[in-house]
Amino acid sequence: MKQKNIHTSQYFNLEGSTIYVSGPLNIYNSSGFLHDAETFFRSNPGTGFSLNLSGVTRLDSAGALALHSLQKTAQQHNITLNIEDTTEEISNKLELFRPVENKTVAPGKKEPLFYRLGDSAVHIFNEYIVTFFYLVSDILFWSVKDVFNSKQRRRGEFLNQAVSIGVNALPIVASMAFIIGLVLALQSSSQLRNFGANIYIVDLTVIAMMAEMGPLITAILVAGRSGSAIAAEIATMKVTSELDALKTMGLNPLRFVVIPKIYGSLITLPFLTILASISGIAGGALAAYLYLDITPEIFFNRMPEALYQKDILTGLIKSIVFALIIVVTGAFFGFKVEEGAEGVGRSTTSSVVAAITLVIIADSILGLMFY
């Protein structure tokens, strides 16, 4: 090839504004080629050249990367470099070994406060509230249907759940209700004594325990004790794929796992509430005897005058509503778990907090309705 060089190199020749590369360009000579080319570009900044590859006999991955790197080097020296006269094979290799460009994503514009609040509200509504009510509807449907379809119920599971949720919770519920009834009467006795209204300690204790404190104490203790167990059991079953195994066997996990707990809680929580109210009244009677000189005989004779059927029904209705809330909340957070053991712990904690919160809200609503 006739050379009209203004720059000499063992790797390429320059004729006019065209750089001719000849011979192989591979791993053995690509570094030297880049070194000579960068030296040439440094001495000729701000110009334009064409890179002719018609004379390249062999190109490997190192050579292809060297050519791509050469274009970036030319840009650094404000040189425009156009590759021309490439064979189909060389063009394919250049395209195959083209470096992946790192695309930096510009930081997004911060959305306004009310937009972010609205987006969070929509997410919470769709992710929690809507899903929660879907779960409630499914549970109510299967709870009613399985009452009349005994073949679908697990034999003996209702009794197991009644013992687990209700009977085993009796000692802690009765003892705590007794202490709260005692403290309630004790704190009220000093004020009633100032007005000579000692006998009204009976009305205060009986009505408070039967209509308000008895159901609420029972629900909070059961939510902390049994509600957490329900959430942990279902979450563990989901993490260990036991729920998927039930689906594989053609069983509805909701029907198989949750419905027996609904039956057990609906039956046992009203009885627990009554026993908690009785324990609280006994604690109030003890405080009245010790601090107001009201004998147990006077206390219990006064009870029929202070206690109305409405107060008893209020406590029982609240206990049924609270039982549904506790089981549904535990099941909801159990089914929503998505991670491993850490997720089980978080769902259990969330279920207890949510159940107690919903119980208190429901108690306030029912209190306004009945009074």
Side-chain angles (χ1 to χ4, degrees):
M1 179 182 296
K2 187 178 180 179
Q3 297 182 357
K4 297 179 181 179
N5 296 338
I6 60 173
H7 181 86
T8 58
S9 171
Q10 62 176 335
Y11 302 105
F12 61 88
N13 297 320
L14 179 67
E15 294 184 5
S17 61
T18 303
I19 301 173
Y20 291 91
V21 182
S22 59
L25 186 58
N26 51 32
I27 191 173
Y28 301 107
N29 60 1
S30 58
S31 60
F33 169 76
L34 284 176
H35 179 268
D36 284 7
E38 185 175 0
T39 303
F40 171 68
F41 289 155
R42 193 180 299 116
S43 61
N44 296 275
T47 56
F49 296 97
S50 297
L51 186 65
N52 189 300
L53 301 180
S54 59
V56 176
T57 58
R58 184 173 180 273
L59 183 72
D60 62 3
S61 59
L65 291 174
L67 291 174
H68 288 300
S69 177
L70 185 64
Q71 289 182 306
K72 293 184 178 180
T73 304
Q75 291 177 0
Q76 293 174 358
H77 294 86
N78 296 323
I79 295 174
T80 57
L81 184 65
N82 298 319
I83 298 178
E84 60 182 26
D85 292 338
T86 59
T87 63
E88 183 178 358
E89 180 183 359
I90 292 177
S91 298
N92 292 336
K93 287 185 178 181
L94 287 174
E95 186 64 29
L96 177 63
F97 297 110
R98 183 180 299 276
V100 178
E101 297 181 0
N102 294 325
K103 296 182 179 180
T104 57
V105 180
K109 182 180 178 181
K110 190 174 181 180
E111 300 292 347
L113 174 62
F114 289 106
Y115 180 89
R116 286 183 279 120
L117 290 176
D119 188 61
S120 300
V122 171
H123 173 73
I124 292 173
F125 180 79
N126 293 329
E127 188 72 15
Y128 290 93
I129 298 177
V130 173
T131 308
F132 183 82
F133 280 106
Y134 274 129
L135 180 65
V136 171
S137 63
D138 287 341
I139 288 176
L140 292 178
F141 173 78
W142 290 115
S143 298
V144 174
K145 184 174 182 179
D146 283 358
V147 170
F148 306 100
N149 190 2
S150 59
K151 294 182 180 180
Q152 296 295 327
R153 293 199 298 265
R154 284 190 290 167
R155 184 171 298 176
E157 186 61 20
F158 162 71
L159 183 60
N160 293 335
Q161 295 299 329
V163 171
S164 175
I165 295 174
V167 177
N168 293 341
L170 180 58
I172 183 65
V173 170
S175 59
M176 292 302 298
F178 180 85
I179 293 172
I180 290 175
L182 177 67
V183 172
L184 176 66
L186 179 63
Q187 296 294 328
S188 304
S189 61
S190 60
Q191 299 298 322
L192 294 174
R193 188 189 298 113
N194 294 335
F195 295 97
N198 295 6
I199 193 62
Y200 289 106
I201 191 67
V202 180
D203 302 58
L204 187 149
T205 304
V206 170
I207 295 174
M209 292 306 302
M210 290 299 299
E212 184 64 32
M213 299 303 296
L216 190 60
I217 294 166
T218 303
I220 291 175
L221 291 175
V222 172
R225 180 187 175 277
S226 301
S228 60
I230 292 170
E233 177 186 349
I234 296 175
T236 303
M237 291 180 70
K238 183 175 181 180
V239 169
T240 56
S241 301
E242 292 181 48
L243 297 181
D244 295 332
L246 291 175
K247 293 178 182 178
T248 304
M249 293 186 292
L251 298 173
N252 186 341
L254 184 70
R255 195 176 185 184
F256 189 82
V257 178
V258 180
I259 301 305
K261 302 181 189 301
I262 288 286
Y263 291 152
S265 62
L266 287 177
I267 295 298
T268 56
L269 224 65
F271 288 105
L272 272 179
T273 299
I274 292 173
L275 292 173
S277 300
I278 293 173
S279 298
I281 291 171
L286 178 61
Y289 176 71
L290 295 176
Y291 293 96
L292 296 177
D293 297 326
I294 297 177
T295 63
E297 182 180 1
I298 297 175
F299 191 96
F300 291 112
N301 286 336
R302 171 72 181 178
M303 280 181 56
E305 301 179 14
L307 187 62
Y308 294 94
Q309 184 179 9
K310 175 186 175 182
D311 299 320
I312 300 174
L313 291 176
T314 299
L316 293 177
I317 292 173
K318 284 183 177 182
S319 67
I320 293 173
V321 175
F322 296 162
L324 288 172
I325 289 175
I326 292 169
V327 178
V328 171
T329 305
F332 173 76
F333 283 96
F335 283 122
K336 278 192 69 66
V337 67
E338 295 180 353
E339 300 171 2
E342 184 180 356
V344 174
R346 276 204 301 268
S347 67
T348 303
T349 304
S350 301
S351 71
V352 174
V353 174
I356 293 176
T357 303
L358 291 176
V359 162
I360 294 175
I361 293 173
D363 180 69
S364 302
I365 295 173
L366 292 172
L368 293 173
M369 290 174 58
F370 291 124
Y371 291 100

